[in-house]
Amino acid sequence: MNKQICWQASPELVALLRRYYAGEAGLWGEVQASVHAELLARGLSVMPRHLRFRRNGDGYDVMVEDAEEYLTGL
């Protein structure tokens, strides 16, 4: 079963993502830290996860899935 969690990125994360996608690859750690902080705020553990971001108008949707499903193909 695919366990996906989605939410709209905060303005701070949107700013980081814009800079990251504009070529500042060194920001990936900050992007991950922002997503991890949101997961913890939602009472979820930080474990191996697959992160995706989808543009939605002026911002981004954050999509987080269990990474194990990508390894096992379940």
Side-chain angles (χ1 to χ4, degrees):
M1 178 192 303
N2 189 9
K3 299 174 187 172
Q4 186 180 70
I5 304 162
C6 300
W7 67 86
Q8 188 168 350
S10 68
E12 295 81 14
L13 180 54
V14 169
L16 276 174
L17 288 168
R18 286 181 180 152
R19 290 175 52 204
Y20 173 78
Y21 286 127
E24 293 185 54
L27 293 175
W28 182 243
E30 290 181 55
V31 169
Q32 288 180 310
S34 178
V35 172
H36 290 172
E38 180 65 28
L39 289 170
L40 291 173
R42 293 169 179 255
L44 301 168
S45 63
V46 175
M47 53 190 263
R49 301 197 185 259
H50 179 72
L51 305 178
R52 293 188 300 145
F53 304 97
R54 180 174 293 145
R55 294 267 305 148
N56 69 6
D58 291 337
Y60 286 89
D61 291 326
V62 180
M63 294 165 285
V64 181
E65 298 171 297
D66 291 340
E68 186 173 319
E69 293 182 17
Y70 284 86
L71 295 174
T72 62
L74 298 176

